[in-house]
Amino acid sequence: MTNKIVAVQGNHPSSLNPVTDTSAFLANEIQNKYKIFYYDPKDLSIINKKVIAKGSFIKFNYQNKKFYKIIKEQTLDLAKCKFILIRQDPPFNLEYISTTYILDFIKNKVKIINNPTSIRNISEKLYSTKYLKYMPDTLFSQDINEIKNFIKKHKKVIIKPIHSYSGNDIHLLNKFNSKLINKFIKKHDHIMCQKFLPKINKGDKRVFIINGKVCGAISRVPKKGSYLSNMSKGAKPININLTKQENKISKLIAKDLKKENIYFAGIDFIDQKLNGDINVTSPTGLKTFFDLSGINLAKTFWKELKA
């Protein structure tokens, strides 16, 4: 059984949506060749110098109403796996960071996607400061006066936490609101402020990067009256192509991420500008891309990884 296991560190399968979930899509693609072992981050331990996880061997079947089946519950030495996928949702908090330190212990024995050290080193929003010239005007701060000046300059501004996900806790401000911003800073410390791009109503673009290559993209159009392009917030996905400018920027970032030992990532554009989210913790959208285009990037994912 050694080396014929793919472990997925993620949210419990019962919480996943089979219509859109990328973790299940990746596991489903490889399960005829490898056994799939699923475990929750809280069930990860170091015991007697071994990295141990309590979880379940499971099978996925998109034809069934309950799209997964637990075959066997087990405690597993993760060094016996061929691959480990880090797929739990952010927020990127201390628990998340702790799991990367634990998995660091075996990263030279097992191929871990994405590399736990690299996940820790690349803040999904702060890493984008390397590419500010491709972004709308952006500020990272918890200085209330700097934020006030930024809002005064740009009139319409998006504020969001640095370590959140899925469009949670994002606000569109038309004027400086001292009470809201002070409360926001108290909760999130440093925050990201960005000039609002009104063309978000036409959709953003999510670009898929695998092994340093730009592999495809979808657009996500916010529901009427919303400025959130996350599908979890009701946005509608559509098939699109990248512009020459978007492709150029995507290739540049893909090359940099490969150097950083990031294998799988998602980056986002609004109106041909990078919006500053470099998704490396748990990139999504592959199942949706397949449904829209017929192109199966899960096959690409495993082919590139095994190569």
Side-chain angles (χ1 to χ4, degrees):
M1 190 166 69
T2 301
N3 260 5
K4 293 299 287 184
I5 302 169
V6 172
V8 181
Q9 175 176 294
N11 308 88
H12 193 273
S14 62
S15 69
L16 306 180
N17 179 357
V19 177
T20 59
D21 189 74
T22 294
S23 304
F25 189 61
L26 289 169
N28 179 71
E29 181 61 35
I30 202 71
Q31 66 183 352
N32 290 333
K33 296 179 181 176
Y34 292 87
K35 291 185 176 181
I36 305 298
F37 180 76
Y38 225 99
Y39 70 93
D40 191 289
K42 66 180 175 58
D43 294 320
L44 191 63
S45 306
I46 297 177
I47 303 172
N48 297 327
K49 298 183 181 179
K50 292 181 178 180
V51 176
I52 302 295
K54 290 181 179 177
S56 306
F57 284 100
I58 66 175
K59 273 272 190 184
F60 291 97
N61 188 337
Y62 283 112
Q63 308 308 316
N64 294 342
K65 188 174 181 182
K66 187 178 180 182
F67 71 105
Y68 71 93
K69 181 181 179 183
I70 292 176
I71 307 300
K72 183 184 179 185
E73 293 185 354
Q74 191 166 322
T75 299
L76 185 69
D77 175 359
L78 292 183
K80 292 183 176 180
C81 299
K82 181 72 173 177
F83 305 109
I84 299 171
L85 305 185
I86 300 177
R87 294 292 309 168
Q88 78 265 32
D89 287 336
F92 192 71
N93 53 18
L94 280 174
E95 183 187 42
Y96 208 119
I97 290 168
S98 294
T99 66
T100 66
Y101 279 118
I102 292 171
L103 290 175
D104 270 348
F105 197 68
I106 55 169
K107 69 178 181 182
N108 295 325
K109 298 177 182 177
V110 184
K111 187 74 175 173
I112 305 174
I113 304 299
N114 281 313
N115 182 290
T117 311
S118 300
I119 287 178
R120 208 166 51 243
N121 287 346
I122 294 181
S123 165
E124 294 199 314
K125 291 181 174 65
L126 286 169
Y127 186 76
S128 69
T129 54
K130 290 181 66 171
Y131 312 107
L132 285 173
K133 67 179 180 179
Y134 303 119
M135 293 165 59
D137 201 5
T138 303
L139 170 76
F140 294 95
S141 185
Q142 54 175 307
D143 185 314
I144 197 78
N145 290 318
E146 291 294 342
I147 295 167
K148 184 178 183 178
N149 291 336
F150 188 85
I151 295 171
K152 188 177 179 181
K153 177 183 177 182
H154 292 294
K155 311 300 187 240
K156 270 192 164 187
V157 169
I158 290 286
I159 65 167
K160 49 188 168 181
I162 288 173
H163 301 297
S164 191
Y165 72 108
S166 283
N168 296 322
D169 281 339
I170 293 180
H171 296 276
L172 172 61
L173 300 181
N174 298 306
K175 61 181 180 179
F176 180 70
N177 183 328
S178 177
K179 186 178 178 182
L180 184 148
I181 291 171
N182 274 306
K183 190 176 177 182
F184 205 69
I185 290 169
K186 189 175 181 181
K187 182 178 179 182
H188 299 291
D189 300 317
H190 278 78
I191 63 172
M192 181 179 183
C193 307
Q194 195 168 72
K195 179 184 176 183
F196 177 68
L197 298 176
K199 284 193 179 177
I200 184 60
N201 66 356
K202 306 290 185 189
D204 74 350
K205 291 184 182 180
R206 159 57 58 94
V207 183
F208 307 110
I209 293 169
I210 299 172
N211 197 24
K213 298 169 186 171
V214 178
C215 294
I218 58 172
S219 177
R220 302 167 299 184
V221 182
K223 65 184 180 181
K224 192 173 181 180
S226 175
Y227 52 86
L228 299 176
S229 59
N230 311 80
M231 288 188 289
S232 60
K233 297 290 188 279
K236 181 184 177 184
I238 57 173
N239 207 8
I240 46 87
N241 293 312
L242 295 176
T243 65
K244 190 175 179 181
Q245 170 76 350
E246 290 163 345
N247 201 39
K248 176 189 167 187
I249 298 167
S250 297
K251 284 182 176 178
L252 172 70
I253 296 171
K255 187 178 175 183
D256 287 348
L257 289 177
K258 185 163 186 180
K259 286 180 189 172
E260 300 276 8
N261 215 2
I262 291 292
Y263 178 80
F264 181 33
I267 62 174
D268 300 329
F269 289 93
I270 301 169
D271 194 16
Q272 297 198 79
K273 291 185 181 292
L274 190 70
N275 85 337
D277 288 332
I278 314 284
N279 294 273
V280 299
T281 54
S282 184
T284 61
L286 296 194
K287 174 69 165 58
T288 304
F289 180 68
F290 172 68
D291 291 338
L292 290 170
S293 69
I295 299 169
N296 187 344
L297 290 184
K299 286 185 185 295
T300 306
F301 180 99
W302 292 113
K303 184 180 177 183
E304 290 280 335
L305 192 55
K306 288 189 281 186

